[in-house]
Amino acid sequence: MNSVLSLSAVLAGIAVAGIAVQRIKPEIEPPVGVAGVEAHETNGAVSLIGQFRTTVSGSLWVRSDLYLHNGVQMRPLTEQELKSNVKGVHSADGLDGEMHGGEGRMVTVVPSRDRDFRGIFGDIDRATSSYKDMSNHEHNPPKAALPLFRLMTMFDPNFIQGWTVAATLLSWEKNRQAYELAVQHLKNGISENPKSVLIRNEIAFTYARSLGDLKTAKNYFEQARALLNSGEAMNDDEREGGLLTYRWLYWINRDLGLSAKQKTLISEGLSHYKDDPVLLHAQEAMNIVPTRRG
Amino acid sequence: MKVWFALAKGVVLESLRRKDLWVVAILGFLMMISAGALGFFGFEGLQAFAKDLAATVLGLFSTVIAVITTARLMPDEIKNRTLYPLLARPIRRLDLLIGKLLGAIFVTWMSFLLLCIATGLALLVFRVQFEPIMAQYVLCKLLGLAVLCSLTFALSTIMTQAAAATVSFIFAFGSSMITRALVMAHESNPRGAGYGFKVLNGVLPQFGLFDLGGRAANMNWGPVPIWVIGSLFAYAIVYSSAMLFISWMKFNRQAI
Amino acid sequence: MQTVDLAVQYRQKNGDKTMAVSGLSLSVAPGEVVGFLGPNGAGKSSTIKCLMGFVEPHAGSASIFGLKAGSISAKRRVGYLPEVALYYPFLTPYETLDLYGKVQGLSGKSLRTEIDNLLEIVGLGAAKKKQNRTLSKGMLQRVGIAQSLLGSPELLMLDEVTSGLDPVGRKELRQLLKERQKAGCTLFFSSHELAEVEMLCDRILLIHKGKLVEERDLGSLKEELRKFSLEFVGHTSMVGLTSELEDFGGNRIRANFTTKALLLEAVDRAKTGGAKIVDIVSEEGSLEDYFIDKIQEAA
């Protein structure tokens, strides 16, 4: 009897689900013609290729960090390691910060002998893997990684960090020729990513900090600012990059003695980034009455 | 000894005729040729990348061959009943296990060396120079693959073919990750179960130790000291023997 | 070859135990040809597997040439053909035999010659370089037969030997086995094919539900099963010879006898009594019926 009841219940359930699906189907799956199906398939293929390109460039990005450390695998220290003062390195030459978004002190993935319980297994591991203890922390010449970055942006031209970090590597020698090469590379990046705030910022930084050309720097920051105010959809990285656009524009205008412009920038910047301490501090310093923040 | 090699020869012949080995070799070669094309069309300075890719391809395909070849050996013998005429011969079950395992190891080694030749040729496009560490990489990889075959073989006698292959893949690809996790777990709890961690680490297969790919792919890493190679050799013998013993314990009592 | 109170037990996947053979005692003398018969699931293959050492006996013992069944020294003297075997699909018959020969401890030119001879004997000379996966079921059975003969074993243990063979193949196999027997080889084989058993065996062992239900010398059994009858017209008494009489009317009678001697005496009586002899029949009884009866009795 029970089994008959169970079977009836299951059948009733299937019937209800079937009716429900019939009702929902048109909502979730609008009728499409042949053209629609073709478009859908084309989009699918494009998206698959896009995913592949993103995956390749992403993995190259990871590998580039590894090659810079000559194969020594690194990881950020854990909270516990930080508390127990485990020895790590902190952006020895700025490159670790660049590659890891300033994640803080790094340590080798293969543990040093004093932190390894494995005995001889640990010794063999350190002898066979590309391991160097933190006192020997060093980098390969950063420019050696440039071909990899070229490969990254070739596979995925929209990989913004691929352009910006490559520019950092290009300007590593810190001379005019190197900076100009970096700027040229970034301009190529803009032609692939015409709506990128981050690449414009990077060009502007190079002009401002390295080439001492504040006017050209200001021009690129203004381009970035225009993009931020254009209402264009952009990802979080690009949007957060805009914070530096406003800060730098504020400083450049200060250096150029354009105080009225500074005030406008602070108000506008705070409308985008209401909690930014730098802009808030600037607002206080210039005695600007806070307006309603959006 | 003759019996072992006769059995091993049978396994090798079957694998060669099956052509799985060739498919893998062609795949590996194609992959390296495409990487080589990058070097040919002007991407200078990608030696480390090319060597790294080569080590990855070699590691990946040789692992797949080792596991797939080994995992099916004993289950197929039982399923196809090819075991009966063999065990009707004047041999011990241990001889059969040794012969079959040796066959799997030979097939894996052959395919790995074949892949090495293919990738070596592709690396020439990048003008990669030979370094002694590369020879050590190949030697240690051969030892590691033998351990992997033994593990898969033992697992295939105590679980289904698919389960044995899955578990082997997890250990083969996740070995380093498991070790790192153990080290970090031990750091978090050094007092609690220190001895337990050591036992666990000793029992788990240490495939990561046999991978010199990181050194071979990057620049200016000197050769590994001879005591390390000796230790790896000893480990491979001990671990493989232990796995063979487990297989024998299970198979010797098994009604077929 | 001998088993004493042999019991074989299997554990099923659900944990239950099944007794495949229980209390089985049998013996086969050197040079004998013994058929091991029984319906499906009777325990024939389990007994053979136990004798080959593939399965450990749950109780009792099994020995071959006085050696523990399944021991290396015992296996050295035995050739075995499994009930179903696929052989390595990507090897050729030659390579298959080469592998088994080397595992047997044979090598060199003598092995190569023996393989060539055996492949010719079983009719695979032309197919020796084809891969096993391309061979028919019958041809694979021939590969199996050839491998069982490798190393000239003293005892051939054949499980369902004629399986997959066509009539010509069966005839050739019978011939081959008879030659081996003449050379002093002991044959022990299981079969469903009673005709094969009749043509080959000296003795039969009938097994049912793991127990031996009949052990007979085939010659005497056949004699026992043979039916004799005399059909005559006239008035002749068969009292003391048989009571099995069929009256067809008009004094035409058929008398059935259990032995040839009784039949001959009846013929004498009929002649002396002036009866007209119409027919004398001597026909073989059905082994099949006999075995079915025996199995039904045992059940």
Side-chain angles (χ1 to χ4, degrees), chain A residues 36-280:
Chain A
V37 172
E38 275 173 9
H40 175 73
E41 285 176 355
T42 310
N43 284 342
V46 168
S47 137
L48 201 65
I49 293 166
Q51 272 181 17
F52 172 73
R53 286 148 51 123
T54 310
T55 308
V56 170
S57 56
S59 62
L60 286 171
W61 171 259
V62 173
R63 303 315 282 178
S64 64
D65 179 40
L66 204 56
Y67 303 149
L68 279 170
H69 288 103
N70 205 22
V72 179
Q73 286 182 297
M74 311 283 290
R75 63 170 173 82
L77 288 170
T78 60
E79 289 291 322
Q80 194 173 351
E81 285 166 338
L82 283 168
K83 275 181 204 160
S84 54
N85 287 325
V86 171
K87 192 183 167 196
V89 286
H90 185 66
S91 297
D93 45 18
L95 196 60
D96 291 314
E98 194 72 50
M99 297 293 292
H100 295 278
E103 278 180 33
R105 288 200 300 164
M106 306 294 289
V107 73
T108 52
V109 169
V110 177
S112 56
R113 199 167 204 279
D114 56 309
R115 291 170 47 228
D116 196 347
F117 75 94
R118 291 176 297 158
I120 189 166
F121 287 126
D123 291 339
I124 297 173
D125 195 5
R126 280 179 289 280
T128 56
S129 56
S130 37
Y131 167 81
K132 270 184 184 162
D133 66 43
M134 297 313 296
S135 59
N136 288 321
H137 183 76
E138 58 192 15
H139 293 135
N140 277 332
K143 280 186 87 169
L146 267 175
L148 217 55
F149 281 89
R150 284 212 191 98
L151 210 56
M152 267 180 234
T153 46
M154 188 196 85
F155 272 110
D156 185 7
N158 303 127
F159 184 43
I160 304 297
Q161 269 179 301
W163 293 103
T164 56
V165 176
T168 308
L169 300 181
L170 277 168
S171 53
W172 202 257
E173 284 157 11
K174 297 187 178 18
N175 57 41
R176 187 164 194 88
Q177 195 189 359
Y179 294 135
E180 280 169 358
L181 263 175
V183 167
Q184 186 51 50
H185 179 73
L186 288 166
K187 282 179 181 170
N188 292 341
I190 287 186
S191 61
E192 294 286 352
N193 303 277
K195 288 171 186 169
S196 172
V197 170
L198 288 172
I199 299 179
R200 283 180 173 79
N201 275 357
E202 198 67 35
I203 297 178
F205 294 150
T206 312
Y207 276 113
R209 286 189 302 206
S210 310
L211 293 167
D213 182 351
L214 288 184
K215 279 188 181 169
T216 314
K218 188 185 166 203
N219 179 27
Y220 276 98
F221 278 130
E222 285 294 350
Q223 285 180 28
R225 182 185 159 206
L227 280 168
L228 286 162
N229 289 322
S230 67
E232 287 277 353
M234 54 180 71
N235 64 34
D236 290 347
D237 284 347
E238 290 280 349
R239 191 159 293 287
E240 279 172 29
L243 182 61
L244 289 179
T245 309
Y246 281 102
R247 284 179 184 179
W248 273 80
L249 271 174
Y250 163 71
W251 288 324
I252 288 173
N253 279 294
R254 185 191 61 194
D255 289 357
L256 294 173
L258 302 169
S259 60
K261 183 80 178 171
Q262 272 178 278
K263 286 180 182 174
T264 314
L265 283 164
I266 291 167
S267 302
E268 194 182 302
L270 283 170
S271 71
H272 289 296
Y273 312 99
K274 59 181 180 178
D275 297 324
D276 179 43
V278 175
L279 291 176
L280 284 171

Side-chain angles (χ1 to χ4, degrees), chain C:
Chain C
M1 189 182 88
Q2 193 176 36
T3 69
V4 179
D5 288 330
L6 187 74
V8 178
Q9 193 180 53
Y10 291 112
R11 190 184 288 272
Q12 291 176 322
K13 280 185 180 169
N14 61 7
D16 292 347
K17 289 172 181 172
T18 312
M19 195 66 92
V21 178
S22 72
L24 181 70
S25 296
L26 58 88
S27 67
V28 176
E32 258 195 309
V33 182
V34 175
F36 194 39
L37 308 176
N40 289 335
K44 301 188 297 291
S45 290
S46 295
T47 307
I48 290 179
K49 281 181 183 178
C50 194
L51 283 162
M52 292 307 301
F54 301 154
V55 181
E56 279 293 308
H58 173 65
S61 65
S63 62
I64 292 174
F65 302 117
L67 304 160
K68 185 178 179 292
S71 65
I72 293 194
S73 41
K75 286 198 283 187
R76 195 162 277 137
R77 298 164 74 175
V78 181
Y80 169 68
L81 174 74
E83 183 182 358
V84 182
L86 290 174
Y87 303 100
Y88 298 105
F90 290 89
L91 298 189
T92 64
Y94 187 94
E95 288 161 347
T96 308
L97 264 61
D98 184 61
L99 166 63
Y100 292 136
K102 282 178 178 154
V103 174
Q104 182 87 24
L106 310 170
S107 61
K109 198 182 172 192
S110 62
L111 174 62
R112 288 196 293 274
T113 312
E114 188 173 356
I115 292 172
D116 281 330
N117 286 341
L118 283 173
L119 288 174
E120 284 300 330
I121 288 170
V122 297
L124 286 176
K128 69 178 179 182
K129 286 183 179 169
K130 288 183 179 172
Q131 289 183 17
N132 289 336
R133 66 197 169 112
T134 64
L135 302 182
S136 68
K137 195 180 167 195
M139 287 166 103
L140 277 177
Q141 185 70 349
R142 286 162 193 260
V143 175
I145 292 163
Q147 67 80 25
S148 71
L149 298 173
L150 261 175
S152 303
E154 295 166 59
L155 167 66
L156 268 177
M157 202 160 322
L158 313 167
D159 203 353
E160 298 296 345
V161 63
T162 52
S163 162
L165 292 180
D166 56 26
V168 178
R170 287 175 188 214
K171 194 179 172 191
E172 287 169 357
L173 177 69
R174 274 199 300 275
Q175 193 60 38
L176 176 67
L177 294 179
K178 277 178 181 167
E179 282 168 18
R180 292 279 157 169
Q181 188 203 4
K182 275 181 198 162
C185 184
T186 308
L187 299 177
F188 182 73
F189 67 93
S190 76
S191 181
H192 291 107
E193 301 286 335
L194 290 174
E196 300 299 329
V197 173
E198 254 184 290
M199 279 186 261
L200 276 168
C201 293
D202 301 331
R203 197 154 62 91
I204 53 109
L205 301 168
L206 182 63
I207 184 175
H208 181 57
K209 289 188 177 169
K211 287 190 167 71
L212 191 67
V213 291
E214 185 75 335
E215 182 178 0
R216 292 295 298 266
D217 177 79
L218 198 62
S220 67
L221 177 63
K222 276 161 110 176
E223 199 59 39
E224 192 179 296
L225 293 177
R226 191 178 284 271
K227 285 177 183 170
F228 303 95
S229 63
L230 170 68
E231 205 173 315
F232 59 92
V233 179
H235 296 281
T236 301
S237 169
M238 293 291 148
V239 174
L241 299 177
T242 182
S243 58
E244 220 180 292
L245 299 170
E246 292 171 75
D247 192 344
F248 296 115
N251 292 330
R252 187 181 174 120
I253 289 168
R254 184 196 287 161
N256 296 317
F257 306 94
T258 51
T259 66
K260 195 175 172 183
L262 290 171
L263 170 71
L264 292 174
E265 198 177 330
V267 170
D268 281 346
R269 272 198 206 179
K271 278 181 182 171
T272 317
K276 183 187 173 189
I277 293 172
V278 179
D279 198 6
I280 298 173
V281 177
S282 166
E283 65 177 5
E284 287 189 353
S286 163
L287 266 180
E288 195 173 69
D289 291 345
Y290 175 79
F291 288 133
I292 290 169
D293 287 348
K294 282 289 167 192
I295 284 162
Q296 277 171 351
E297 274 173 33

